[in-house]
Amino acid sequence: MDREEIRDKALKQTREKLRKPVEKDLFLVKTVQQLDKLNKNFREDVENFRDLYSQHFPELVSELTDDERFVDMLDRFGVQRSELEPFQELAESSTGSAINDEEKQIIEDILSQLVETKETTERLEAYVEKEAKKEFQNLSGLLNPLLATRLVALAGGLDELAKKPASTVQMLGAEKALFRYLHGEGTPPKHGVLFNHPFVKNLPEEERGKMARFLANKAVMAARIDNYGDEDKSEGLREEARERYEELKN
């Protein structure tokens, strides 16, 4: 083996040593951030699409208030109101304008983009649901995989979440509201992203702060178990949270 070959082999071995393995929790964080952006874009794009489509079939736009169902129906049956068999009665009395072939194609092209975005978000959700249960089983069991990943994302990673006090975790996602309050606007926030947990949002407003504080405490415990150990205590953590929820609900 000549000097050039030895040099190339050494460089190759060095590159392999320097190549970092993918950190699963950070990949999940980036995935859920992308998912949230796609969901936001989808809502905005559907709103604009509804405005356009209402020129042709305003009654359907009013009838189907759920964005995903609205997109699914048009994708399944077609964009011409005469094609929408489940809504023929509405179509026959519609006050909307007829559309020509070119206008129909424009609507179909936009609809196709919405369907593609929707399918992408579904794939990303499925990935996060599956992998989060493996990567942080206790936190996912306590909250749910998507909410757990969003909390990890806001904290900057699982290790960072495990180090934070519960009072900080309770406010993750409420930074803008807290900033406004500190500058003399509005009231102090009682919760951040944890509001999306059913044990918080389904309570009366005056009890949500207490539940969010309790849940934040358990979330930190779950994050520490996931980060430093390998035990599955998610069922017990979830049950404790449920008991506290029942106390506050009654």
Side-chain angles (χ1 to χ4, degrees):
M1 184 181 291
D2 60 27
R3 291 177 63 183
E4 189 67 26
E5 290 175 328
I6 293 172
R7 176 179 172 276
D8 289 343
K9 183 177 181 180
L11 285 172
K12 182 180 179 182
Q13 289 174 341
T14 301
R15 281 196 297 267
E16 288 175 352
K17 288 179 181 178
L18 291 173
R19 188 178 294 125
K20 292 182 179 179
V22 174
E23 294 185 55
K24 186 69 75 173
D25 68 320
L26 295 182
F27 191 85
L28 279 165
V29 162
K30 298 299 182 183
T31 302
V32 85
Q33 288 172 343
Q34 184 64 40
L35 173 61
D36 289 341
K37 286 179 183 177
L38 285 173
N39 280 327
K40 182 175 182 290
N41 292 341
F42 179 76
R43 291 191 298 270
E44 292 174 352
D45 290 344
V46 172
E47 184 178 352
N48 293 331
F49 179 66
R50 282 178 175 276
D51 188 43
L52 172 65
Y53 191 72
S54 66
Q55 305 304 306
H56 174 57
F57 199 175
E59 294 80 7
L60 186 71
V61 172
S62 300
E63 178 73 15
L64 298 179
T65 56
D66 181 88
D67 287 341
E68 292 191 5
R69 184 162 181 252
F70 176 64
V71 169
D72 285 342
M73 282 294 172
L74 292 179
D75 183 47
R76 179 179 176 186
F77 292 100
V79 300
Q80 285 275 18
R81 59 182 179 233
S82 59
E83 299 173 322
L84 287 150
E85 295 177 11
F87 304 96
Q88 277 307 294
E89 189 173 336
L90 279 178
E92 290 169 5
S93 59
S94 177
T95 59
S97 304
I99 53 175
N100 59 34
D101 289 344
E102 185 178 17
E103 292 162 344
K104 180 184 178 185
Q105 187 61 56
I106 289 172
I107 292 172
E108 288 176 341
D109 288 346
I110 298 172
L111 177 64
S112 177
Q113 293 175 5
L114 292 173
V115 170
E116 184 177 347
T117 300
K118 179 175 171 290
E119 290 174 347
T120 300
T121 60
E122 288 171 351
R123 286 196 297 272
L124 293 185
E125 281 185 5
Y127 169 80
V128 173
E129 289 270 356
K130 174 171 63 75
E131 295 299 327
K133 289 177 182 177
K134 300 176 187 175
E135 189 65 19
F136 17 88
Q137 60 180 346
N138 289 283
L139 194 62
S140 293
L142 173 66
L143 302 179
N144 74 49
L146 282 170
L147 182 55
T149 307
R150 289 189 175 103
L151 195 66
V152 170
L154 288 166
L158 182 63
D159 188 56
E160 289 299 315
L161 180 62
K163 295 174 183 176
K164 293 186 183 300
S167 57
T168 299
V169 172
Q170 181 181 346
M171 292 295 119
L172 288 175
E175 290 80 8
K176 289 182 180 179
L178 184 59
F179 179 83
R180 287 195 299 269
Y181 169 69
L182 293 175
H183 286 76
E185 299 178 21
T187 57
K190 297 179 180 179
H191 38 63
V193 71
L194 287 176
F195 172 77
N196 294 305
H197 195 285
F199 289 175
V200 177
K201 67 181 178 182
N202 290 338
L203 283 174
E205 186 174 353
E206 64 272 13
E207 303 293 356
R208 290 172 183 167
K210 297 175 186 176
M211 189 66 223
R213 186 160 53 251
F214 185 90
L215 206 55
N217 196 342
K218 296 301 176 184
V220 171
M221 291 175 60
R224 288 172 180 167
I225 297 169
D226 288 330
N227 196 48
Y228 305 122
D230 56 7
E231 293 180 271
D232 182 2
K233 296 187 176 182
S234 58
E235 188 174 337
L237 291 168
R238 176 84 177 183
E239 187 54 35
E240 288 177 39
R242 181 181 296 282
E243 288 174 3
R244 182 58 174 153
Y245 167 71
E246 293 296 337
E247 288 175 10
L248 294 172
K249 187 175 70 171
N250 300 322

